[in-house]
Coordinates of all heavy atoms in Angstrom, one line a residue:
M295 N -21.1 105.1 143.6 CA -20.0 104.5 144.4 C -20.6 103.4 145.2 O -21.6 103.6 145.9 CB -19.3 105.6 145.2 CG -18.1 105.1 146.0 SD -17.3 106.3 147.0 CE -16.7 107.4 145.8
S296 N -19.9 102.3 145.3 CA -20.3 101.2 146.1 C -19.2 100.9 147.1 O -18.1 101.5 147.1 CB -20.6 100.0 145.2 OG -19.3 99.5 144.7
E297 N -19.6 100.0 148.0 CA -18.6 99.6 149.1 C -17.3 99.0 148.5 O -16.2 99.2 149.0 CB -19.2 98.6 150.0 CG -19.5 99.2 151.4 CD -20.0 98.2 152.3 OE1 -19.2 97.3 152.8 OE2 -21.2 98.2 152.6
S298 N -17.5 98.3 147.4 CA -16.4 97.6 146.8 C -15.4 98.6 146.1 O -14.2 98.3 146.1 CB -16.8 96.5 145.8 OG -17.6 97.2 144.7
N299 N -15.9 99.7 145.5 CA -14.9 100.6 144.8 C -14.6 101.8 145.6 O -13.8 102.6 145.2 CB -15.4 100.9 143.4 CG -16.7 101.8 143.4 OD1 -17.1 102.2 144.5 ND2 -17.2 102.0 142.3
A300 N -15.2 102.0 146.8 CA -14.9 103.2 147.6 C -13.5 103.3 148.0 O -12.9 104.4 147.8 CB -15.8 103.3 148.8
P301 N -12.8 102.3 148.5 CA -11.4 102.4 148.9 C -10.5 102.8 147.7 O -9.5 103.5 147.9 CB -11.1 101.0 149.4 CG -12.4 100.4 149.8 CD -13.4 101.0 148.8
R302 N -10.8 102.3 146.5 CA -10.0 102.7 145.3 C -10.1 104.1 144.9 O -9.2 104.7 144.3 CB -10.4 101.8 144.1 CG -9.9 100.3 144.3 CD -10.1 99.6 143.0 NE -11.5 99.6 142.5 CZ -12.3 98.6 142.7 NH1 -12.0 97.5 143.3 NH2 -13.6 98.7 142.2
S303 N -11.3 104.8 145.3 CA -11.5 106.1 144.9 C -10.8 107.1 145.8 O -10.7 108.3 145.5 CB -12.9 106.4 144.7 OG -13.6 106.3 146.0
L304 N -10.4 106.7 147.0 CA -9.7 107.6 147.9 C -8.2 107.7 147.6 O -7.6 106.7 147.2 CB -9.9 107.0 149.4 CG -11.3 107.0 149.9 CD1 -11.3 106.3 151.3 CD2 -11.9 108.4 150.0
P305 N -7.7 108.9 147.7 CA -6.3 109.0 147.4 C -5.4 108.3 148.5 O -5.7 108.2 149.6 CB -6.0 110.5 147.5 CG -7.1 111.1 148.3 CD -8.3 110.1 148.1
R306 N -4.3 107.7 148.0 CA -3.4 107.0 148.9 C -2.4 108.1 149.5 O -2.0 109.0 148.8 CB -2.6 106.0 148.1 CG -3.4 104.8 147.7 CD -2.4 103.7 147.4 NE -3.0 102.4 147.4 CZ -3.2 101.6 148.5 NH1 -2.8 102.0 149.6 NH2 -3.8 100.5 148.4
L307 N -2.2 107.8 150.8 CA -1.2 108.7 151.5 C 0.2 108.1 151.2 O 0.4 106.9 151.1 CB -1.4 108.7 153.0 CG -2.7 109.4 153.4 CD1 -2.9 109.2 154.9 CD2 -2.6 110.9 153.1
P308 N 1.2 109.0 151.1 CA 2.6 108.5 150.9 C 3.0 107.7 152.1 O 2.5 107.9 153.2 CB 3.4 109.8 150.8 CG 2.5 110.9 151.1 CD 1.1 110.4 151.2
E309 N 3.9 106.8 151.9 CA 4.5 106.0 153.0 C 5.1 106.9 154.0 O 5.8 107.8 153.7 CB 5.5 105.0 152.4 CG 5.8 103.9 153.4 CD 6.6 102.8 152.7 OE1 6.3 102.4 151.6 OE2 7.6 102.3 153.4
G310 N 4.9 106.6 155.3 CA 5.4 107.4 156.3 C 4.6 108.7 156.6 O 5.0 109.5 157.4
A311 N 3.5 108.8 156.0 CA 2.6 110.0 156.2 C 2.0 110.0 157.6 O 1.9 108.9 158.2 CB 1.5 110.1 155.2
H312 N 1.7 111.1 158.2 CA 1.1 111.2 159.5 C -0.4 111.7 159.3 O -0.8 112.1 158.2 CB 1.9 112.1 160.4 CG 2.0 113.5 159.9 ND1 1.0 114.5 160.0 CD2 3.0 114.1 159.3 CE1 1.4 115.6 159.5 NE2 2.6 115.4 159.0
K313 N -1.1 111.6 160.3 CA -2.6 111.8 160.2 C -2.9 113.3 159.8 O -3.9 113.5 159.2 CB -3.3 111.5 161.6 CG -2.8 112.3 162.7 CD -3.5 111.8 164.0 CE -3.0 112.5 165.2 NZ -3.6 112.0 166.4
G314 N -2.0 114.2 160.0 CA -2.2 115.6 159.6 C -2.3 115.7 158.1 O -2.8 116.7 157.6
L315 N -1.7 114.8 157.4 CA -1.8 114.8 155.9 C -3.0 114.2 155.3 O -3.3 114.3 154.1 CB -0.5 114.1 155.4 CG 0.8 114.7 155.7 CD1 2.0 113.9 155.1 CD2 0.9 116.2 155.1
A316 N -3.8 113.6 156.2 CA -5.0 112.9 155.7 C -6.3 113.8 155.6 O -7.3 113.3 155.4 CB -5.3 111.6 156.5
G317 N -6.1 115.0 156.0 CA -7.3 115.9 155.9 C -7.8 116.1 157.3 O -7.7 115.3 158.2
S318 N -8.5 117.2 157.5 CA -9.1 117.5 158.8 C -10.5 118.0 158.6 O -10.9 118.7 157.7 CB -8.3 118.6 159.6 OG -8.2 119.8 158.8
V319 N -11.4 117.7 159.6 CA -12.8 118.0 159.6 C -13.1 118.6 160.9 O -12.7 118.2 162.0 CB -13.7 116.8 159.4 CG1 -15.1 117.1 159.4 CG2 -13.3 116.1 158.0
L320 N -13.9 119.7 160.9 CA -14.5 120.3 162.1 C -16.0 120.0 162.1 O -16.7 120.3 161.1 CB -14.3 121.8 162.1 CG -15.0 122.6 163.2 CD1 -14.3 122.3 164.5 CD2 -15.0 124.1 162.9
C321 N -16.4 119.4 163.2 CA -17.8 119.1 163.4 C -18.4 120.0 164.4 O -17.9 120.1 165.5 CB -18.0 117.6 163.8 SG -17.4 116.4 162.7
L322 N -19.4 120.7 164.1 CA -20.1 121.6 165.1 C -21.5 121.0 165.1 O -22.4 121.3 164.3 CB -20.2 123.0 164.6 CG -20.9 124.1 165.4 CD1 -20.3 124.1 166.8 CD2 -20.9 125.4 164.8
C323 N -21.7 120.1 166.1 CA -23.0 119.4 166.2 C -23.2 118.8 167.6 O -22.4 118.9 168.4 CB -23.0 118.3 165.1 SG -21.6 117.2 165.2
G324 N -24.4 118.3 167.7 CA -24.8 117.6 169.0 C -25.4 118.6 170.0 O -25.3 119.8 169.8
S325 N -26.2 118.1 170.9 CA -26.8 118.8 172.0 C -27.1 117.9 173.1 O -27.0 116.6 172.9 CB -28.1 119.5 171.4 OG -29.0 118.5 171.1
P326 N -27.5 118.4 174.3 CA -27.8 117.4 175.3 C -29.0 116.5 174.9 O -29.1 115.4 175.4 CB -28.2 118.3 176.5 CG -27.5 119.6 176.2 CD -27.5 119.7 174.7
E327 N -29.9 117.0 174.1 CA -31.0 116.2 173.7 C -30.7 115.2 172.6 O -31.3 114.2 172.4 CB -32.2 117.1 173.1 CG -32.8 118.0 174.2 CD -31.9 119.3 174.4 OE1 -31.1 119.7 173.5 OE2 -32.0 119.9 175.5
M328 N -29.6 115.5 171.8 CA -29.2 114.6 170.7 C -27.7 114.4 170.7 O -27.0 114.8 169.7 CB -29.7 115.2 169.4 CG -31.2 115.3 169.2 SD -31.6 115.9 167.6 CE -33.3 116.2 167.8
P329 N -27.2 113.8 171.7 CA -25.7 113.6 171.8 C -25.2 112.6 170.7 O -24.1 112.7 170.3 CB -25.4 113.1 173.2 CG -26.7 112.5 173.6 CD -27.8 113.3 172.9
G330 N -26.1 111.7 170.3 CA -25.7 110.7 169.4 C -25.3 111.3 168.0 O -24.5 110.7 167.3
A331 N -25.9 112.4 167.7 CA -25.6 113.1 166.4 C -24.1 113.5 166.4 O -23.4 113.3 165.4 CB -26.4 114.4 166.3
A332 N -23.6 113.9 167.5 CA -22.2 114.3 167.5 C -21.3 113.0 167.4 O -20.3 113.0 166.7 CB -21.8 115.0 168.9
V333 N -21.7 112.0 168.1 CA -20.9 110.7 168.0 C -20.9 110.2 166.5 O -19.9 109.9 166.0 CB -21.5 109.6 168.9 CG1 -20.8 108.3 168.7 CG2 -21.3 110.1 170.4
L334 N -22.1 110.2 165.9 CA -22.2 109.7 164.5 C -21.4 110.5 163.6 O -20.8 110.0 162.6 CB -23.7 109.6 164.1 CG -24.5 108.6 164.8 CD1 -26.0 108.7 164.5 CD2 -24.0 107.2 164.5
C335 N -21.4 111.9 163.8 CA -20.7 112.8 162.8 C -19.2 112.6 162.9 O -18.5 112.5 161.9 CB -21.1 114.2 163.1 SG -22.8 114.6 162.6
V336 N -18.7 112.5 164.1 CA -17.2 112.4 164.2 C -16.8 111.0 163.7 O -15.7 110.9 163.1 CB -16.7 112.7 165.6 CG1 -17.0 114.1 166.1 CG2 -17.2 111.7 166.7
R337 N -17.5 110.0 164.0 CA -17.2 108.6 163.6 C -17.3 108.6 162.0 O -16.4 107.9 161.4 CB -18.1 107.6 164.2 CG -18.0 107.5 165.7 CD -16.6 107.2 166.2 NE -16.2 105.8 165.8 CZ -14.9 105.4 165.8 NH1 -14.0 106.2 166.1 NH2 -14.6 104.2 165.4
A338 N -18.3 109.2 161.4 CA -18.4 109.2 160.0 C -17.2 109.9 159.3 O -16.7 109.5 158.3 CB -19.7 109.9 159.6
A339 N -16.8 111.0 159.9 CA -15.6 111.8 159.4 C -14.4 110.9 159.4 O -13.6 110.9 158.5 CB -15.4 113.1 160.1
Q340 N -14.2 110.2 160.5 CA -13.0 109.3 160.7 C -13.1 108.2 159.7 O -12.1 107.8 159.1 CB -13.0 108.8 162.2 CG -12.6 110.0 163.1 CD -13.0 109.7 164.5 OE1 -13.8 108.8 164.8 NE2 -12.5 110.5 165.5
R341 N -14.3 107.6 159.6 CA -14.4 106.4 158.6 C -14.2 106.9 157.2 O -13.8 106.1 156.3 CB -15.7 105.7 158.8 CG -15.8 104.9 160.1 CD -17.0 104.0 160.1 NE -17.1 103.3 158.9 CZ -16.9 102.0 158.8 NH1 -16.5 101.3 159.9 NH2 -17.1 101.3 157.7
A342 N -14.5 108.1 156.9 CA -14.4 108.7 155.5 C -12.9 108.9 155.2 O -12.5 109.2 154.1 CB -15.2 109.9 155.4
G343 N -12.0 108.9 156.2 CA -10.6 109.0 156.0 C -9.9 110.3 156.6 O -8.7 110.5 156.4
A344 N -10.7 111.1 157.3 CA -10.1 112.3 157.8 C -9.1 111.9 158.9 O -9.3 111.0 159.7 CB -11.1 113.2 158.5
G345 N -7.9 112.5 158.8 CA -6.9 112.2 159.8 C -7.1 112.9 161.1 O -6.7 112.4 162.2
L346 N -7.6 114.1 161.1 CA -7.9 114.9 162.3 C -9.3 115.3 162.3 O -9.8 115.9 161.4 CB -7.0 116.1 162.4 CG -5.5 115.9 162.5 CD1 -4.8 117.2 162.3 CD2 -5.1 115.3 163.8
V347 N -10.1 114.9 163.4 CA -11.5 115.3 163.5 C -11.6 116.1 164.8 O -11.3 115.6 165.9 CB -12.4 114.1 163.5 CG1 -13.8 114.5 163.7 CG2 -12.2 113.3 162.2
T348 N -12.1 117.3 164.7 CA -12.4 118.2 165.8 C -13.9 118.3 166.0 O -14.6 118.6 165.1 CB -11.7 119.6 165.6 OG1 -10.3 119.4 165.4 CG2 -12.0 120.5 166.8
L349 N -14.3 118.2 167.2 CA -15.7 118.4 167.6 C -15.8 119.7 168.4 O -15.2 119.8 169.5 CB -16.3 117.2 168.4 CG -17.8 117.4 168.9 CD1 -18.7 117.6 167.7 CD2 -18.2 116.3 169.8
A350 N -16.5 120.7 167.9 CA -16.8 121.9 168.6 C -18.1 121.8 169.3 O -19.1 121.5 168.6 CB -16.7 123.1 167.7
V351 N -18.2 122.0 170.6 CA -19.5 121.8 171.3 C -19.7 123.1 172.1 O -18.8 123.7 172.6 CB -19.4 120.6 172.2 CG1 -19.3 119.3 171.4 CG2 -18.3 120.6 173.2
F352 N -21.0 123.4 172.3 CA -21.5 124.5 173.1 C -21.9 124.0 174.5 O -22.0 124.8 175.4 CB -22.6 125.2 172.5 CG -22.2 126.0 171.2 CD1 -22.6 125.5 170.0 CD2 -21.4 127.1 171.3 CE1 -22.2 126.1 168.8 CE2 -21.0 127.8 170.2 CZ -21.4 127.3 168.9
Q353 N -22.0 122.7 174.6 CA -22.4 122.1 175.9 C -21.2 121.2 176.3 O -21.0 120.1 175.7 CB -23.7 121.3 175.9 CG -24.9 122.1 175.6 CD -25.1 122.4 174.1 OE1 -24.5 121.7 173.3 NE2 -26.0 123.3 173.9
R354 N -20.5 121.6 177.4 CA -19.3 120.9 177.8 C -19.5 119.4 178.1 O -18.6 118.5 177.9 CB -18.7 121.6 179.0 CG -17.4 121.0 179.4 CD -16.8 121.8 180.5 NE -15.4 121.6 180.5 CZ -14.5 122.4 180.7 NH1 -14.8 123.6 181.1 NH2 -13.2 122.1 180.6
D355 N -20.7 119.0 178.5 CA -21.0 117.6 178.9 C -20.9 116.7 177.7 O -20.6 115.5 177.9 CB -22.5 117.5 179.4 CG -22.7 118.3 180.7 OD1 -21.7 118.6 181.3 OD2 -23.8 118.5 181.0
L356 N -21.0 117.2 176.5 CA -20.9 116.3 175.3 C -19.4 115.8 175.1 O -19.2 114.8 174.5 CB -21.3 117.1 174.0 CG -22.8 117.4 173.9 CD1 -23.0 118.2 172.7 CD2 -23.5 116.0 173.7
I357 N -18.5 116.6 175.6 CA -17.1 116.2 175.4 C -16.8 114.8 176.0 O -16.3 113.9 175.4 CB -16.1 117.2 176.0 CG1 -16.2 118.5 175.2 CG2 -14.7 116.7 176.0 CD1 -15.4 119.7 175.7
T358 N -17.2 114.6 177.3 CA -17.0 113.3 177.9 C -17.8 112.2 177.2 O -17.2 111.1 177.0 CB -17.5 113.4 179.4 OG1 -16.8 114.4 180.0 CG2 -17.2 112.0 180.1
L359 N -19.0 112.4 176.8 CA -19.8 111.4 176.2 C -19.1 111.0 174.9 O -19.0 109.8 174.6 CB -21.2 111.9 175.9 CG -22.2 110.9 175.4 CD1 -23.5 111.2 176.0 CD2 -22.2 110.9 173.9
V360 N -18.8 111.9 174.0 CA -18.2 111.6 172.7 C -16.8 111.0 172.9 O -16.4 110.1 172.2 CB -18.1 112.9 171.8 CG1 -17.4 112.5 170.5 CG2 -19.5 113.4 171.5
A361 N -16.0 111.5 173.9 CA -14.7 110.9 174.1 C -14.8 109.4 174.5 O -13.9 108.7 174.1 CB -14.0 111.7 175.2
N362 N -15.8 109.0 175.1 CA -16.0 107.6 175.5 C -16.2 106.8 174.2 O -15.8 105.6 174.2 CB -17.2 107.4 176.4 CG -16.8 107.9 177.8 OD1 -15.7 107.9 178.2 ND2 -17.8 108.4 178.6
H363 N -16.8 107.3 173.2 CA -17.0 106.6 172.0 C -15.9 106.8 170.9 O -15.8 106.0 170.0 CB -18.4 107.0 171.4 CG -19.5 106.6 172.2 ND1 -20.1 105.4 172.2 CD2 -20.2 107.3 173.1 CE1 -21.1 105.3 173.0 NE2 -21.2 106.5 173.6
S364 N -15.2 107.9 171.0 CA -14.2 108.2 170.0 C -13.1 109.0 170.7 O -12.9 110.2 170.5 CB -14.9 109.1 168.9 OG -14.0 109.4 167.9
P365 N -12.2 108.3 171.3 CA -11.1 108.9 172.1 C -10.1 109.7 171.2 O -9.4 110.5 171.7 CB -10.4 107.8 172.8 CG -10.8 106.6 172.1 CD -12.1 106.8 171.5
E366 N -10.1 109.4 169.9 CA -9.1 110.1 169.0 C -9.6 111.4 168.6 O -8.9 112.2 167.9 CB -8.8 109.2 167.8 CG -10.0 108.9 166.9 CD -10.8 107.7 167.3 OE1 -10.8 107.3 168.5 OE2 -11.5 107.1 166.5
T367 N -10.8 111.8 168.9 CA -11.4 113.1 168.5 C -10.7 114.2 169.3 O -10.4 114.1 170.5 CB -12.9 113.1 168.8 OG1 -13.5 112.0 168.0 CG2 -13.5 114.4 168.4
I368 N -10.5 115.3 168.7 CA -10.0 116.6 169.3 C -11.2 117.4 169.7 O -12.2 117.4 168.9 CB -9.1 117.3 168.3 CG1 -7.9 116.5 167.9 CG2 -8.7 118.7 168.9 CD1 -7.2 117.0 166.7
F369 N -11.2 118.0 170.8 CA -12.4 118.8 171.2 C -12.1 120.3 171.3 O -11.0 120.7 171.8 CB -12.9 118.2 172.6 CG -13.4 116.8 172.5 CD1 -12.5 115.8 172.8 CD2 -14.6 116.5 172.0 CE1 -12.9 114.5 172.7 CE2 -15.1 115.2 171.9 CZ -14.2 114.2 172.2
M370 N -13.1 121.1 171.0 CA -13.1 122.5 171.1 C -14.3 122.9 172.0 O -15.4 122.8 171.5 CB -13.2 123.1 169.7 CG -13.0 124.6 169.7 SD -13.3 125.3 168.0 CE -11.9 124.6 167.1
D371 N -14.0 123.3 173.2 CA -15.1 123.7 174.1 C -15.5 125.2 173.9 O -14.7 126.1 174.1 CB -14.6 123.5 175.6 CG -15.7 123.9 176.6 OD1 -16.8 124.2 176.2 OD2 -15.3 123.8 177.8
L372 N -16.7 125.3 173.4 CA -17.2 126.7 173.1 C -18.3 127.1 174.1 O -19.0 128.1 173.9 CB -17.9 126.7 171.7 CG -16.9 126.3 170.5 CD1 -17.7 126.3 169.2 CD2 -15.8 127.3 170.5
S373 N -18.3 126.4 175.2 CA -19.4 126.7 176.2 C -19.2 128.1 176.8 O -20.2 128.6 177.3 CB -19.4 125.6 177.3 OG -18.2 125.6 178.0
R374 N -18.1 128.6 176.8 CA -17.9 130.0 177.4 C -17.7 131.1 176.4 O -17.4 132.2 176.7 CB -16.6 130.0 178.3 CG -16.8 129.0 179.5 CD -15.6 129.1 180.3 NE -16.1 128.9 181.7 CZ -15.4 129.1 182.8 NH1 -14.2 129.6 182.7 NH2 -15.9 128.9 183.9
T375 N -18.0 130.7 175.1 CA -17.9 131.7 174.0 C -18.9 132.7 174.1 O -20.1 132.4 174.1 CB -17.9 130.9 172.7 OG1 -16.9 130.0 172.7 CG2 -17.8 131.9 171.5
Q376 N -18.5 134.0 174.1 CA -19.4 135.1 174.2 C -19.7 135.6 172.8 O -20.7 136.4 172.6 CB -18.9 136.2 175.0 CG -18.6 135.8 176.5 CD -19.9 135.4 177.2 OE1 -20.9 136.0 177.1 NE2 -19.8 134.3 177.9
D377 N -18.9 135.2 171.8 CA -19.1 135.8 170.4 C -20.5 135.5 169.9 O -21.0 136.3 169.1 CB -18.1 135.2 169.5 CG -16.7 135.7 169.7 OD1 -16.5 136.7 170.4 OD2 -15.7 135.1 169.3
L378 N -21.1 134.4 170.2 CA -22.4 134.1 169.6 C -23.4 135.1 170.1 O -24.4 135.4 169.3 CB -22.8 132.7 170.0 CG -22.0 131.6 169.4 CD1 -22.5 130.2 169.9 CD2 -22.1 131.6 167.8
F379 N -23.3 135.6 171.3 CA -24.3 136.5 171.8 C -24.1 137.9 171.1 O -25.0 138.7 171.0 CB -24.1 136.7 173.3 CG -24.4 135.4 174.0 CD1 -23.3 134.8 174.7 CD2 -25.6 134.8 174.0 CE1 -23.5 133.6 175.3 CE2 -25.8 133.6 174.7 CZ -24.8 133.0 175.3
A380 N -23.0 138.1 170.5 CA -22.8 139.3 169.7 C -23.0 139.1 168.2 O -22.8 140.0 167.4 CB -21.3 139.8 169.9
G381 N -23.5 137.9 167.8 CA -23.9 137.6 166.5 C -22.7 137.2 165.6 O -22.7 137.3 164.4
R382 N -21.5 136.8 166.2 CA -20.3 136.5 165.5 C -20.0 135.0 165.8 O -20.2 134.5 166.9 CB -19.2 137.3 165.9 CG -19.3 138.8 165.6 CD -18.0 139.5 166.0 NE -17.6 139.3 167.3 CZ -17.9 140.1 168.4 NH1 -18.7 141.1 168.2 NH2 -17.4 139.8 169.6
L383 N -19.4 134.4 164.8 CA -18.9 133.0 165.1 C -17.6 133.1 165.8 O -16.8 134.1 165.6 CB -18.6 132.3 163.7 CG -19.8 131.8 163.0 CD1 -19.4 131.2 161.6 CD2 -20.5 130.7 163.8
P384 N -17.3 132.2 166.7 CA -16.1 132.2 167.4 C -14.9 132.2 166.5 O -15.0 131.5 165.4 CB -16.1 130.9 168.3 CG -17.5 130.6 168.4 CD -18.2 131.1 167.2
R385 N -13.9 132.9 166.8 CA -12.7 133.0 165.9 C -12.1 131.7 165.5 O -11.7 131.5 164.4 CB -11.6 133.9 166.5 CG -10.5 134.2 165.5 CD -9.5 135.2 165.9 NE -9.3 135.6 167.2 CZ -8.7 136.7 167.6 NH1 -8.3 137.5 166.6 NH2 -8.6 137.0 168.8
A386 N -12.1 130.8 166.5 CA -11.6 129.4 166.2 C -12.3 128.7 165.1 O -11.7 127.9 164.3 CB -11.6 128.6 167.5
L387 N -13.6 129.0 164.9 CA -14.3 128.4 163.8 C -14.1 129.1 162.5 O -14.0 128.5 161.4 CB -15.8 128.4 164.1 CG -16.3 127.7 165.3 CD1 -17.8 127.8 165.5 CD2 -15.9 126.2 165.2
V388 N -13.9 130.4 162.5 CA -13.7 131.2 161.3 C -12.3 131.0 160.7 O -12.1 130.9 159.5 CB -14.0 132.7 161.5 CG1 -13.7 133.5 160.3 CG2 -15.4 132.9 162.0
E389 N -11.3 131.0 161.6 CA -9.9 130.9 161.2 C -9.3 129.5 161.2 O -8.2 129.3 161.2 CB -9.1 131.8 162.1 CG -9.5 133.3 162.0 CD -8.7 134.2 162.9 OE1 -7.9 133.6 163.8 OE2 -8.9 135.4 162.9
G390 N -10.2 128.5 161.4 CA -9.7 127.2 161.5 C -9.0 126.7 160.2 O -9.2 127.3 159.2
R391 N -8.2 125.7 160.4 CA -7.5 125.2 159.2 C -8.0 123.8 158.7 O -7.3 123.0 158.2 CB -6.0 125.0 159.7 CG -5.3 126.2 160.0 CD -3.9 126.0 160.4 NE -3.3 127.3 160.8 CZ -2.4 127.4 161.7 NH1 -2.0 126.4 162.4 NH2 -1.9 128.6 162.0
Q392 N -9.3 123.7 158.9 CA -10.0 122.4 158.5 C -10.2 122.4 157.0 O -10.4 123.4 156.4 CB -11.3 122.2 159.2 CG -11.2 122.2 160.7 CD -11.2 123.5 161.3 OE1 -11.6 124.5 160.8 NE2 -10.6 123.6 162.5
H393 N -10.2 121.2 156.5 CA -10.5 121.0 155.0 C -12.0 121.0 154.8 O -12.4 121.3 153.7 CB -9.8 119.8 154.5 CG -8.3 119.8 154.5 ND1 -7.6 119.2 155.5 CD2 -7.4 120.5 153.7 CE1 -6.3 119.5 155.3 NE2 -6.2 120.2 154.3
A394 N -12.7 120.6 155.8 CA -14.2 120.5 155.7 C -14.8 120.8 157.0 O -14.2 120.6 158.1 CB -14.6 119.1 155.2
R395 N -16.1 121.3 156.9 CA -16.8 121.6 158.2 C -18.2 120.9 158.1 O -18.8 121.0 157.0 CB -16.9 123.1 158.4 CG -15.6 123.7 158.7 CD -15.7 125.2 159.0 NE -14.4 125.7 159.2 CZ -14.0 126.9 158.8 NH1 -14.8 127.6 158.1 NH2 -12.8 127.3 159.1
L396 N -18.6 120.4 159.1 CA -19.9 119.7 159.2 C -20.7 120.5 160.3 O -20.2 120.5 161.5 CB -19.7 118.3 159.6 CG -21.0 117.5 159.8 CD1 -21.7 117.2 158.5 CD2 -20.7 116.1 160.5
V397 N -21.7 121.1 160.0 CA -22.4 122.0 160.9 C -23.9 121.7 161.0 O -24.6 121.6 160.0 CB -22.3 123.5 160.5 CG1 -23.0 124.4 161.5 CG2 -20.8 123.9 160.4
G398 N -24.4 121.5 162.2 CA -25.8 121.4 162.4 C -26.5 120.1 162.9 O -27.4 120.2 163.7
P399 N -26.0 118.9 162.6 CA -26.7 117.7 163.0 C -26.9 117.7 164.5 O -26.0 117.8 165.3 CB -25.9 116.6 162.6 CG -25.1 117.1 161.4 CD -24.9 118.5 161.7
G400 N -28.2 117.5 165.0 CA -28.4 117.4 166.4 C -28.4 118.6 167.2 O -28.5 118.6 168.4
M401 N -28.4 119.8 166.6 CA -28.3 121.0 167.3 C -29.7 121.6 167.6 O -30.6 121.5 166.8 CB -27.5 122.1 166.6 CG -26.0 121.7 166.6 SD -25.0 123.0 165.8 CE -24.9 124.1 167.2

């Protein structure tokens, strides 16, 4: 796939479609040491055509930083999640309605 044929390979949305029909991505990434990973991941998902991009973070400080670079991102604050200490993923991650998940960059 090249830059010239990439737009032709993406499905077209029907006229009048809203962003919820364009697919959704959950990004679980970034850390205080590597906040740029979260910014790059959400921007990549948006550029790839996802209509809704959610960033789940364990450090609340990342929300403000990423929001400054990508205000259209939806945020999931997991900083108070106790499930990880019990060895379980937070329910919001397991029962999410995302079409794709991106986990790990910068963590």
Side-chain angles (χ1 to χ4, degrees):
M295 183 178 295
S296 69
E297 251 185 76
S298 62
N299 68 6
R302 288 191 302 260
S303 64
L304 294 173
R306 286 198 163 275
L307 289 174
E309 196 170 317
H312 58 82
K313 62 185 175 184
L315 295 176
S318 61
V319 176
L320 172 69
C321 302
L322 178 59
C323 53
S325 66
E327 296 81 22
M328 297 185 189
V333 173
L334 291 172
C335 288
V336 299
R337 298 301 295 159
Q340 291 158 347
R341 286 191 50 108
L346 296 170
V347 178
T348 301
L349 175 63
V351 296
F352 293 105
Q353 293 85 15
R354 187 176 202 144
D355 298 342
L356 287 175
I357 293 174
T358 303
L359 188 143
V360 176
N362 287 330
H363 293 278
S364 180
E366 63 274 27
T367 301
I368 300 164
F369 296 95
M370 185 183 299
D371 182 4
L372 301 176
S373 62
R374 297 183 145 195
T375 302
Q376 299 299 315
D377 289 342
L378 291 177
F379 300 112
R382 296 184 307 267
L383 284 174
R385 186 171 19 200
L387 298 179
V388 176
E389 296 176 356
R391 296 184 183 140
Q392 299 82 24
H393 295 102
R395 293 184 179 138
L396 176 72
V397 179
M401 291 184 78

